[in-house]
């Protein structure tokens, strides 16, 4: 934490300190994850399965600071990954071009991973990875309570959680179909989150998006600027 404070002061950062520190801690977690050989093996296996016609994935657990992975097989457009206990997240494929990024259910699953996990699981631990033909992406929690509030408000507005999922998925699918490369997909995903932030008067977007750089085998933090352009910052 001392190094984070020093960086914040020395570089005259204008961003809120808590947000600045959270992003660095999250990036450190992304570095540790990508360095894990079992995680790398799961990524390779799931990438190899993209030519199939069902979603595949794995539950990720952390017991005594040791990660373990439990492979799962789903259906054409769905996979059930457990939550609770030592489970901190999951990874799964989207082989169908209709969902080149995360779905509404994927975003909500971040909230339930933390909600039902053991009390010693930090929001910094929680993650979800999606492997698609156009790239590999990860989302991590920034603010557990704020993400819960977002879906609470969406549920009240739509009438049920399922309808809230459907409304957001319709928007995402429409936006995804109007684009055709990974940068466009990420931009539309982040724009949808920014729209929800504005709609429900949130202080910030409660999750952070990352893109895997296959050339360097690292994750990049992806953000949307006020002018709606993407910035990518390597987690190293």
């Amino acid at each position: 934490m001392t190094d984070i404070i020093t960086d914040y002061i020395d570089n005259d950062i204008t961003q809120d300190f808590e947000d600045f520190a959270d992003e660095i801690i999250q990036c450190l977690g992304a570095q540790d994850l990508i360095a894990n050989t079992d995680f790398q093996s799961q990524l390779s296996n799931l990438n190899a399965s993209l030519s199939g016609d069902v979603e595949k994935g794995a539950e990720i657990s952390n017991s005594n600071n040791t990660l373990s992975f439990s492979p799962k097989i789903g259906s054409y457009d769905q996979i059930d990954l457990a939550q609770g206990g030592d489970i901190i997240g999951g990874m799964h494929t989207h082989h169908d071009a209709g969902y080149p990024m995360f779905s509404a259910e994927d975003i909500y699953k971040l909230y339930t991973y933390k909600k039902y996990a053991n009390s010693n699981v930090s929001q910094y631990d929680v993650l979800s990875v999606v492997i698609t033909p156009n790239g590999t992406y990860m989302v991590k929690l920034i603010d557990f309570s704020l993400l819960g509030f977002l879906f609470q408000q969406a549920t009240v507005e739509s009438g049920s959680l399922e309808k809230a999922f459907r409304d957001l998925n319709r928007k995402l699918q429409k936006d995804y179909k109007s684009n055709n490369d990974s940068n466009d997909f990420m931009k539309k995903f982040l724009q949808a989150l920014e729209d929800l932030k504005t709609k429900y008067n949130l202080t910030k977007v409660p999750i952070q998006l990352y893109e895997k750089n296959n050339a360097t085998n690292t994750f990049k933090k992806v953000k949307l600027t006020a002018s709606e352009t993407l910035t990518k910052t390597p987690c190293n």
Side-chain angles (χ1 to χ4, degrees):
M1 181 60 76
T2 302
D3 290 342
I4 295 175
I5 295 172
T6 301
D7 286 344
Y8 185 81
I9 296 172
D10 290 348
N11 293 293
D12 196 24
I13 305 296
T14 58
Q15 182 185 14
D16 177 81
F17 174 73
E18 184 177 341
D19 292 342
F20 174 77
D22 281 350
E23 289 182 8
I24 291 179
I25 293 170
Q26 294 284 22
C27 251
L28 291 173
Q31 284 179 269
D32 290 342
L33 184 66
I34 203 74
N36 184 285
T37 54
D38 291 333
F39 177 73
Q40 293 281 5
S41 177
Q42 292 295 325
L43 276 183
S44 296
N45 291 340
L46 292 175
N47 265 302
S49 75
L50 284 173
S51 59
D53 57 1
V54 298
E55 290 192 11
K56 294 185 178 180
E59 297 158 1
I60 307 173
S61 299
N62 187 345
S63 179
N64 298 319
N65 293 319
T66 299
L67 293 182
S68 60
F69 300 82
S70 178
K72 302 293 177 182
I73 298 178
S75 59
Y76 178 79
D77 59 356
Q78 184 177 353
I79 186 169
D80 292 324
L81 299 177
Q83 54 201 5
D86 292 328
I87 296 174
I88 61 169
M91 51 203 305
H92 67 286
T93 58
H94 278 181
H95 60 91
D96 186 342
Y99 274 110
M101 286 287 293
F102 295 96
S103 66
E105 290 85 350
D106 294 335
I107 301 170
Y108 184 71
K109 199 68 179 278
L110 271 183
Y111 173 74
T112 56
Y113 278 140
K114 169 58 180 163
K115 180 179 180 179
Y116 297 113
N118 289 339
S119 59
N120 63 325
V121 172
S122 164
Q123 71 174 12
Y124 296 115
D125 299 326
V126 177
L127 61 102
S128 180
V129 177
V130 64
I131 300 93
T132 78
N134 56 278
T136 296
Y137 311 97
M138 176 171 67
V139 283
K140 298 192 73 181
L141 265 179
I142 292 178
D143 193 313
F144 166 70
S145 297
L146 204 58
L147 184 58
F149 177 77
L150 185 159
F151 277 103
Q152 180 186 52
Q153 295 300 106
T155 298
V156 170
E157 181 182 44
S158 300
S160 71
L161 183 60
E162 290 72 20
K163 289 181 179 178
F165 287 160
R166 188 168 64 235
D167 291 344
L168 180 54
N169 280 331
R170 282 174 177 168
K171 174 176 173 51
L172 289 172
Q173 280 191 310
K174 180 180 178 182
D175 290 342
Y176 292 155
K177 286 179 180 178
S178 66
N179 296 276
N180 57 14
D181 70 40
S182 60
N183 285 332
D184 286 335
F185 297 144
M186 288 188 288
K187 184 176 180 180
K188 290 301 182 182
F189 177 72
L190 292 174
Q191 283 175 331
L193 294 175
E194 287 289 342
D195 289 345
L196 290 171
K197 170 192 166 186
T198 301
K199 185 175 187 178
Y200 300 126
N201 196 29
L202 307 181
T203 55
K204 56 188 171 185
V205 172
I207 67 175
Q208 174 62 54
L209 175 67
Y210 299 84
E211 177 190 30
K212 184 175 181 289
N213 185 322
N214 292 325
T216 60
N217 199 34
T218 58
F219 277 113
K220 290 183 177 181
K221 178 179 64 181
V222 185
K223 301 189 76 173
L224 192 67
T225 68
S227 59
E228 297 194 338
T229 58
L230 292 180
T231 64
K232 300 181 182 181
T233 307
C235 285
N236 53 29

